[in-house]
Amino acid sequence: MSKKMNRRSFAKTALFTCGLAGLLAAGRACAPLLKPEEKFLRPPGAENERKFLGTCIKCGQCVQVCPYRSVKLLDINKGAAAGTPVIIPEERACYLCDLLPCVLSCPSGALDSSVSDAEYVDMGKARVVRPENCLGMKGETVTEDMINRLIAHGTSGEREKELAEKLRAFSGKACTVCRDMCPYPDRDAAIALTGEKRYAPEIREKCVGCGVCLELCPAESNVFVIEPK
Ligand code: SF4
Ligand code: SF4
Ligand code: SF4
């Protein structure tokens, strides 16, 4: 490589590093002034909302690397939170992928790199708000229409296609979707279906609030809400 090229690469790297450092310093300086107006479900590794707003540089790396297309950026009308990443579980939950690529991609530390796998994630908690809407309570089976409605959330990437295949296997059966699809490694410590002939979900201590139970529940009306931490 020529000396000229070396100087150019050095200058580019220096500019990027200075730019990132500047953005981070500005964010940290403003952090005490940033008053979170709303709670959002953030990607894995985000700490409290105030710290997250002061650290996230809105670069969109976590959006780019998410294989489920779960991470969206908040709209311009969200004040200080505009442009920061969010999970909207009704559209696409977080599937707690191996190695958490969103966390690995974050250059600012807003998604804390010490959160290295699903067991350390703490996005929030699911809550069962309407057990009476559960198909298990109604004694109904999962229909093909219900599954097609869920698959319509997206099938662009490989992981989404695999997800669609898994969902098709529930068609025509008694519903166990929320329990069987919960991606937390020790699933039984996060969610269970309880009851005899009629049953409904019960959220347990290890739930991390990824939102998969809410997204994939095929019932017509909501059984769950996700409460961001
Ligand atoms: S863990 Fe996976 S699915 Fe969840 S936000 Fe990160 S990259 Fe996306
Ligand atoms: S996904 Fe869970 S809560 Fe929803 S209908 Fe099926 S068993 Fe009930
Ligand atoms: S119960 Fe499982 S799927 Fe539902 S939010 Fe908790 S960890 Fe995610």
Side-chain angles (χ1 to χ4, degrees), residues 43-44 65-68 70-71 87 94-97 100-102:
V65 299
C66 178
Y68 288 92
S70 310
V71 189
I87 308 281
C94 163
Y95 284 79
L96 303 177
C97 324
L100 304 174
C102 48

Side-chain angles (χ1 to χ4, degrees), residues 126 182-184 190-191 203 207-213 226:
C182 171
Y184 186 76
I191 187 168
I203 300 299
C207 166
V208 297
C210 68
V212 170
C213 51
I226 305 293

Side-chain angles (χ1 to χ4, degrees), residues 148-227:
N148 287 339
R149 178 171 55 78
L150 296 171
I151 290 175
H153 291 183
T155 50
S156 309
E158 274 313 301
R159 297 281 183 91
E160 288 181 295
K161 289 191 178 101
E162 286 166 19
L163 180 59
E165 278 313 304
K166 284 186 189 167
L167 286 171
R168 284 194 183 97
F170 289 95
S171 186
K173 296 184 183 154
C175 188
T176 54
V177 175
C178 56
R179 184 198 59 196
D180 294 355
M181 296 300 286
C182 171
Y184 186 76
D186 182 5
R187 189 187 68 190
D188 295 343
I191 187 168
L193 291 171
T194 55
E196 295 286 316
K197 280 190 184 145
R198 301 284 162 116
Y199 56 86
E202 180 185 294
I203 300 299
R204 297 197 163 157
E205 196 194 334
K206 292 287 186 178
C207 166
V208 297
C210 68
V212 170
C213 51
L214 183 154
E215 184 202 343
L216 299 185
C217 173
E220 291 285 327
S221 309
N222 280 356
V223 173
F224 302 96
V225 291
I226 305 293
E227 291 174 344

Side-chain angles (χ1 to χ4, degrees), residues 117-154:
D117 69 47
E119 277 183 75
Y120 302 106
V121 170
D122 178 17
M123 298 164 70
K125 252 324 175 239
R127 196 153 63 82
V128 176
V129 281
R130 294 205 177 279
E132 67 275 18
N133 290 340
C134 169
L135 299 181
M137 272 301 206
K138 294 176 164 178
E140 292 175 9
T141 51
V142 182
T143 66
E144 206 176 327
D145 282 352
M146 290 172 184
I147 295 297
N148 287 339
R149 178 171 55 78
L150 296 171
I151 290 175
H153 291 183

